[in-house]
Amino acid sequence: ADGSVDDNQRGDEDAQLQAQMQRAEEGDIDACVASGDLLYWGARGFQRDHVRARRFFKVAADADHAHARCLYASMLLRGEGGDTDHAEAVRQYEVAASAGSAKALNGLGYEYFYGNHLPKNSTKAYGYFAEAARLDADGDSNFNAAHCLAHGIGVEKNVKEAARLYERAATRHGHFDAAFEIALVKHGGSGRTGRDVNRAREFFEACARAGWAARDVRAGFDAYLRGDAGRALLWYAEAAETGTDVAAANAAWLLDRDSDVRALVGNTMPLAIRFHRLASTLDGGGDGYAALGDAVLHGALVVPPGVDEGRAVSDDTISRLLETRHARALSYYSRAAQKGSARGAFAAARVRARGAPGVPRDRKLAHKLFDDALRADPERMRWPVFAARAQLRCEELWDDLRGFASASPQKRRSHRGKLSVGVAVLVVVVSVVRAVASSGGGA
């Protein structure tokens, strides 16, 4: 095997998900909602991308999709994928709430509870939480109403009713925080609910099985939004050690790109590689494999896992591994491309376009991989793919020119038309590149 990607290596599910992503880019509303959800969570092998997720949700929200309005509003509230905009979030929630959306009602309750845009009003907040909980469509609204009842916020304190909602959120919707709260209530028997140690143990055990990783990931993201990247890294690292792929991928991203983290840690490369490895092992998206490919190609990751592990590596082994780094990097890039990573497909295409020791040049396959990168992320890959393809076309034309110069007169006449077309294409490419450069290169 040469590490390249072809159609036979893609599963049916991969092809369906890529087709869905393409339909989303074309404006299909249902595909926008489904693809936005994948990109928001970084699920099913896709790298987390809040910018694209927010864009997809907005397209669907503008088409009056009630659930998409709520998802878009939630991102606006948290500043995920763009600026925070509480006013627009409230507007989206109000429209969705008028259509009977429990998530929108809960969102309006959130705004009244914290007073971010609407005036702080605990009574109104509880009213919206209670109405959303009455619809029993999700765990958050049940939990929020229960929290108000348990502490007497905006409503008379009623621990018994709070316990009922906590238990419903935990058992029907799998809400982690609700499971922990009902476990405490059952264990202590507060609010004349009656102590039930056996039931409390069941909920505590459920919490223990689920672990604290999800809460750590959320805490890490909240810390990042507050501008505390160092604390975010600590939360992500802790969750990653429990086997959470999203946490490992986020920790690696911070180590690669965040200037505050790099200043705090110093040499971030070894730690970043460790988390990229962990994310890849845990199926945390294709970009982890792509990052490992970069590390191999540039000599930062010389010895792969399992090679003389635990022992000193000889100079001969290191020399042999460096000689084969292009082929090993291509293997990582290809695995990334298989998982739908635009970064992986693009890097694999560049290696194929140039050729290297152990990797024969294959321009036809390079063009196909550039197509894969463009399909995976049209917005970010448009100009990189255009520039790389322009370079590839120029190299192909140069080879044609050299062949034309050394050909017989008869062959020159037969190839003159093809050469004219090639020159025309080159003129167009150069003109477009100059126009983009003069306008600042904005895409």
Side-chain angles (χ1 to χ4, degrees), residues 18-77:
Q18 289 297 333
Q20 173 187 284
M21 200 67 67
Q22 182 62 35
R23 290 196 305 275
E25 291 290 351
E26 294 168 357
D28 182 281
I29 301 307
D30 290 335
C32 280
V33 177
S35 298
D37 197 53
L38 290 176
L39 293 168
Y40 181 86
W41 294 108
R44 308 282 285 278
F46 286 94
Q47 186 74 4
R48 177 179 283 196
D49 187 340
H50 281 171
V51 174
R52 285 180 80 197
R54 178 163 162 166
R55 176 164 58 84
F56 284 156
F57 290 150
K58 184 180 186 304
V59 169
D62 289 345
D64 203 24
H65 191 291
H67 184 54
R69 286 187 184 278
C70 297
L71 296 171
Y72 179 49
S74 179
M75 297 193 77
L76 289 169
L77 288 181

Side-chain angles (χ1 to χ4, degrees), residues 269-287:
M269 180 63 73
L271 197 55
I273 289 174
R274 181 177 184 278
F275 282 114
H276 279 307
R277 278 178 170 172
L278 185 57
S280 301
T281 303
L282 296 170
D283 198 25
D287 281 4

Side-chain angles (χ1 to χ4, degrees), residues 15-288:
Q16 291 169 5
L17 291 175
Q18 289 297 333
Q20 173 187 284
M21 200 67 67
Q22 182 62 35
R23 290 196 305 275
E25 291 290 351
E26 294 168 357
D28 182 281
I29 301 307
D30 290 335
C32 280
V33 177
S35 298
D37 197 53
L38 290 176
L39 293 168
Y40 181 86
W41 294 108
R44 308 282 285 278
F46 286 94
Q47 186 74 4
R48 177 179 283 196
D49 187 340
H50 281 171
V51 174
R52 285 180 80 197
R54 178 163 162 166
R55 176 164 58 84
F56 284 156
F57 290 150
K58 184 180 186 304
V59 169
D62 289 345
D64 203 24
H65 191 291
H67 184 54
R69 286 187 184 278
C70 297
L71 296 171
Y72 179 49
S74 179
M75 297 193 77
L76 289 169
L77 288 181
R78 297 189 178 104
E80 296 170 331
D83 293 336
T84 300
D85 190 340
H86 287 274
E88 178 61 15
V90 168
R91 189 186 76 81
Q92 294 288 345
Y93 277 141
E94 287 175 341
V95 175
S98 67
S101 167
K103 191 173 182 68
L105 290 165
N106 187 64
L108 289 172
Y110 178 94
E111 284 296 278
Y112 275 115
F113 190 89
Y114 287 102
N116 293 312
H117 175 70
L118 298 171
K120 189 171 183 177
N121 188 320
S122 298
T123 302
K124 283 190 174 182
Y126 170 72
Y128 278 112
F129 290 149
E131 179 60 20
R134 187 185 64 79
L135 298 173
D136 193 24
D138 59 32
D140 283 344
S141 54
N142 280 286
F143 177 84
N144 290 339
H147 177 78
C148 290
L149 286 163
H151 299 279
I153 302 173
V155 64
E156 186 178 348
K157 187 173 181 178
N158 188 335
V159 177
K160 190 171 184 178
E161 177 62 11
R164 185 183 71 84
L165 293 176
Y166 279 142
E167 188 161 2
R168 188 166 75 179
T171 56
R172 292 188 184 179
H173 304 287
H175 198 282
F176 181 90
D177 290 336
F180 186 70
E181 292 297 332
I182 190 59
L184 292 176
V185 171
K186 294 289 186 184
H187 184 265
S190 57
R192 293 182 295 179
T193 57
R195 193 175 188 210
D196 189 341
V197 177
N198 291 330
R199 189 69 170 143
R201 185 178 65 248
E202 291 176 8
F203 283 114
F204 279 133
E205 288 176 347
C207 291
R209 286 193 300 271
W212 298 97
R215 177 176 287 184
D216 288 351
V217 171
R218 183 75 250 178
F221 191 69
D222 288 342
Y224 179 74
L225 290 179
R226 292 195 305 270
D228 191 348
R231 190 172 296 276
L233 176 62
L234 291 176
W235 282 115
Y236 287 143
E238 183 173 330
E241 295 300 334
T242 67
T244 305
D245 55 354
V246 170
N250 287 356
W253 187 92
L254 285 172
L255 289 161
D256 278 340
R257 304 186 189 184
D258 191 274
S259 57
D260 291 340
V261 168
R262 294 172 74 88
L264 181 67
V265 176
N267 180 14
T268 60
M269 180 63 73
L271 197 55
I273 289 174
R274 181 177 184 278
F275 282 114
H276 279 307
R277 278 178 170 172
L278 185 57
S280 301
T281 303
L282 296 170
D283 198 25
D287 281 4

